[in-house]
Amino acid sequence: QQLFDSSNKEFEDGDVLFVAHRMKLKGKVGPKFTVGGREITMSISKSGFNSWKEGKPLRNGLVFATSFMYERFMLMINDAVVAITGRNYFFPNKPKEFHQECAKYCRCAMM
């Protein structure tokens, strides 16, 4: 959880972003959002992995591929939002320099 809540410019543990598709992770993983006055933690990759069923490799492969592609699609949308607004809303506590770097990358990537 500290990855998304941190106020440090650098990531403490970016690896958690890459293993959530294939490993059970302790605690709540993902950014927090307030919806209707209620705080929720959302992770597309963790939701996909939690849908796996033991002994169902074909189903699990399909769930993995679908959730992975959906997450990539959502990241593309997020890049567009960051490029336009200059802020990465998944990391609200990060300093201004972090958001400036993200925005610069996203703007270059969209060209």
Side-chain angles (χ1 to χ4, degrees):
Q1 188 63 47
Q2 85 178 33
L3 176 70
F4 295 96
D5 292 336
S6 170
S7 60
N8 292 336
K9 182 179 178 209
E10 307 298 329
F11 287 122
E12 289 82 358
D13 186 9
D15 290 342
V16 76
L17 296 173
F18 300 103
V19 299
H21 291 92
R22 59 186 183 278
M23 291 179 68
K24 283 227 182 269
L25 301 171
K26 293 181 179 181
K28 294 181 177 182
V29 176
K32 290 186 274 187
F33 299 96
T34 303
V35 178
R38 206 175 108 211
E39 187 175 89
I40 60 166
T41 302
M42 185 183 113
S43 171
I44 296 167
S45 56
K46 189 171 178 188
S47 297
F49 182 76
N50 288 342
S51 298
W52 286 23
K53 302 288 183 209
E54 194 167 331
K56 303 281 186 181
L58 189 58
R59 179 188 191 282
N60 295 344
L62 184 62
V63 167
F64 173 84
T66 304
S67 67
F68 197 81
M69 286 188 298
Y70 179 67
E71 183 182 46
R72 298 296 120 190
F73 175 72
M74 294 304 289
L75 287 171
M76 289 186 323
I77 291 173
N78 183 62
D79 284 355
V81 169
V82 173
I84 293 165
T85 67
R87 186 158 182 81
N88 189 329
Y89 295 96
F90 284 112
F91 303 98
N93 300 321
K94 295 284 187 191
K96 183 178 180 180
E97 297 81 22
F98 172 87
H99 294 286
Q100 288 172 334
E101 259 182 65
C102 283
K104 184 177 179 182
Y105 169 83
C106 291
R107 289 170 183 150
C108 290
M110 291 189 69
M111 291 182 156

